Amino acid sequence: MAMATVNPATGETVFETELHSVAEVESRLAKAQLAHESLRRMSFADRAALMVVAAEIMETEVEDSAAMMTLEMGKPISQARAEVLKCAKNLRFYAAKSEEFLAPQPLDDPSQVGASKAMGIWQPLGVVLAVMPWNFPLWQVIRFAAPALMAGNSGVLKHASNVPQTALYLDKLFGRAGFPEGAFTTLMISASSVAAVIDDSRVRAVTLTGSEPAGRAVAMRAGSQVKPSVLELGGSDAFIITSNADIEQAATVAVTARVNNNGQSCVAGKRFLVFADVYDQFVDSFVAKMSALKMGDPMDETVQLGPLATASGKKDIVELVEDAKSKGARVLCGGETPEGPGFFYPATVIDQITDDMRIVMEETFGPVASVYKVQDRDEAVRVANQTTFGLSSAVWTNDESEQEFFVEQLQAGAVFINGMTISYPELAFGGIKDSGFGRELSDAGIKEFCNLKTVWKA
């Protein structure tokens, strides 16, 4: 059995590699365990120096890495380039901040617990398995790997089957930077082999970014082995436009929020909830901007919308839109599958959505925007919170009391005011409800895979 790169712009298979044997998986897990023992004894300064080298490698190779990602999953080349540089930024961030984040936490007055000294110290757990998706094939991995390695853990990656070249690049990256052999390694295995890796006694924790069903399976397996896990799953983020919003700016940002990464982002505006008195104004502008996007070869610097990553992803989007159309939804632009090779689907806006449509509750992983007319902030919150997801959200309003209301009432891991959701190394990232649990990035991300050990001295 092989893992393969299928160029989503043409549908052609351009690269194949064989899966690892059981013996190879065993060898890599053994090396990961040894690497952890070495890493945990290194100083923060020594680990940081190696992390900076990894950042420099990524920055030097940005053009080649960007082209590799675009070939494998179809994101526009300009966005691929930005993803590589964001990864390098994250590596540098954790190189600079990890020692501060994991500093000992002494009790101000240890005598209150009958001690001369009392504190909490952070220590790495060991080998951490990362099960990662194809949509941000470098960023999703690096945002885990940087804090994990800086804490003294080692990382083992099971990447998505359609991005094998990216998986192999990551397999070598940290070793090239000078990290101990096995500090970060890729397992070229099938999804059915993940359970056995989770069960391995050397693996002490698991993180997954991906679909809700995959997250449930991994969390159940990890739980059965009493191992912690972090899950970042699907999202159906609300993007709310109120009466006093800057409508033109909101429409401009809404387009980026919906079609960034060809619409294949968990944390993205998908449901656009617009107050009734500005509905027509917003929709007219939004539809015009979505209709004007240039779709085509993602290697073309001028293209704004490339293909979906897989044939199955395109099929899913087509079925969601056709279901909505058959039940009375109005298609304001797009909505028709283009002829020709590749997995292309146009920027699409639909409204007049009713609760019997699948698109109300299911995630749209593609450039399709659902627009809802709401009467006031209470209805906006009700519609925003009606899905089982709770990853992020965006609210456009210049009223401070209204901003406070939405921050308090929206059921999500984040609320962005007058902007679109973006992940930053400095801010915690993650969701609630069926969007998962645990946090990545910031100090929260590095602490997820550490043991907070209490130290008490008489």
Side-chain angles (χ1 to χ4, degrees):
M1 183 178 177
M3 295 174 68
T5 300
V6 177
N7 183 348
T10 65
E12 298 174 341
T13 299
V14 296
F15 176 84
E16 288 185 313
T17 186
E18 293 299 315
L19 298 182
H20 285 154
S21 66
V22 173
E24 180 66 16
V25 171
E26 165 59 30
S27 173
R28 287 173 178 252
L29 288 174
K31 289 176 181 177
Q33 178 62 35
L34 290 173
H36 159 61
E37 295 299 333
S38 176
L39 278 171
R40 71 188 304 271
R41 291 191 295 269
M42 292 173 64
S43 68
F44 279 105
D46 287 345
R47 292 196 293 260
L50 300 178
M51 195 64 70
V52 169
V53 175
E56 292 170 346
I57 291 171
M58 297 199 80
E59 290 162 346
T60 300
E61 299 174 348
V62 58
E63 294 300 330
D64 289 343
S65 300
M68 174 184 67
M69 281 194 291
T70 295
L71 176 67
E72 291 211 290
M73 57 72 57
K75 70 174 72 230
I77 188 66
S78 60
Q79 295 178 24
R81 195 177 293 119
E83 180 173 335
V84 178
L85 296 178
K86 184 175 183 177
C87 289
K89 177 183 177 181
N90 196 50
L91 294 171
R92 292 182 181 277
F93 174 79
Y94 278 105
K97 302 292 287 186
S98 293
E99 186 170 11
E100 173 189 334
F101 289 158
L102 298 182
Q105 300 175 341
L107 199 62
D108 290 338
D109 180 11
S111 66
Q112 64 184 307
V113 294
S116 64
K117 186 177 183 179
M119 68 176 67
I121 61 172
W122 297 96
Q123 295 184 323
L125 294 180
V127 180
V128 183
L129 170 64
V131 182
M132 292 291 138
W134 48 261
N135 57 332
F136 293 94
L138 281 178
W139 169 244
Q140 305 277 18
V141 178
I142 292 298
R143 77 182 188 192
F144 151 75
L149 269 61
M150 280 303 303
N153 297 296
S154 58
V156 175
L157 169 67
K158 190 283 181 210
H159 217 325
S161 61
N162 61 321
V163 289
Q165 295 180 77
T166 305
L168 293 170
Y169 175 83
L170 288 160
D171 182 56
K172 303 296 185 185
L173 174 65
F174 293 99
R176 292 167 62 201
F179 279 87
E181 182 182 9
F184 194 88
T185 188
T186 293
L187 302 181
M188 306 296 275
I189 59 176
S190 65
S192 62
S193 300
V194 170
V197 178
I198 295 174
D199 291 350
D200 192 287
S201 61
R202 290 164 294 196
V203 173
R204 299 312 312 154
V206 188
T207 181
L208 176 141
T209 298
S211 69
E212 181 190 343
R216 290 181 183 276
V218 164
M220 288 176 65
R221 195 76 184 200
S224 73
Q225 298 295 316
V226 199
K227 297 177 181 180
S229 59
V230 170
L231 305 179
E232 193 266 278
L233 309 179
S236 189
D237 294 0
F239 191 105
I240 300 170
I241 299 95
T242 71
S243 301
N244 58 48
D246 182 332
I247 301 301
E248 190 61 25
Q249 180 65 12
T252 298
V253 175
V255 173
T256 302
R258 184 68 293 251
V259 304
N260 182 51
N261 209 44
N262 303 334
Q264 299 163 124
S265 175
C266 297
V267 57
K270 296 186 176 79
R271 297 176 298 135
F272 297 83
L273 284 49
V274 188
F275 280 29
D277 56 350
V278 293
Y279 186 85
D280 291 341
Q281 181 185 353
F282 172 82
V283 168
D284 288 347
S285 180
F286 184 45
V287 170
K289 295 175 190 298
M290 289 280 278
S291 301
L293 292 172
K294 181 179 179 180
M295 182 172 69
D297 181 358
M299 292 292 188
D300 182 339
E301 296 282 356
T302 66
V303 162
Q304 299 160 293
L305 182 63
L308 297 175
T310 64
S312 62
K314 177 180 177 179
K315 178 176 178 289
D316 290 343
I317 282 293
V318 169
E319 289 178 353
L320 278 178
V321 173
E322 291 304 314
D323 172 78
K325 288 164 63 175
S326 71
K327 295 171 181 174
R330 181 174 61 163
V331 177
L332 303 177
C333 69
E336 297 295 336
T337 305
E339 296 182 358
F343 312 137
F344 291 93
Y345 195 81
T348 299
V349 180
I350 63 174
D351 73 350
Q352 296 184 2
I353 296 162
T354 55
D355 287 346
D356 60 335
M357 299 173 187
R358 290 174 51 198
I359 205 165
V360 171
M361 299 300 289
E362 296 183 32
E363 182 178 20
T364 51
F365 220 59
V368 176
S370 303
V371 185
Y372 297 75
K373 182 185 292 186
V374 296
Q375 297 302 316
D376 53 31
R377 67 185 195 179
D378 291 318
E379 185 179 6
V381 164
R382 181 187 63 76
V383 175
N385 291 343
Q386 73 181 356
T387 75
T388 60
F389 296 112
L391 192 50
S392 190
S393 57
V395 178
W396 288 75
T397 174
N398 292 309
D399 184 310
E400 289 192 9
S401 65
E402 205 163 54
Q403 293 172 5
E404 293 173 2
F405 171 82
F406 284 112
V407 167
E408 175 65 26
Q409 296 297 324
L410 288 173
Q411 297 170 0
V415 180
F416 279 63
I417 305 294
N418 295 330
M420 59 175 272
T421 299
I422 304 173
S423 58
Y424 296 94
E426 299 85 354
L427 293 174
F429 181 87
I432 60 172
K433 303 198 300 186
D434 287 354
S435 289
F437 52 75
R439 290 295 180 266
E440 296 177 290
L441 303 176
S442 77
D443 64 319
I446 197 170
K447 291 172 180 175
E448 286 285 0
F449 298 120
C450 290
N451 170 32
L452 180 55
K453 179 183 287 185
T454 295
V455 178
W456 183 98
K457 181 179 178 181

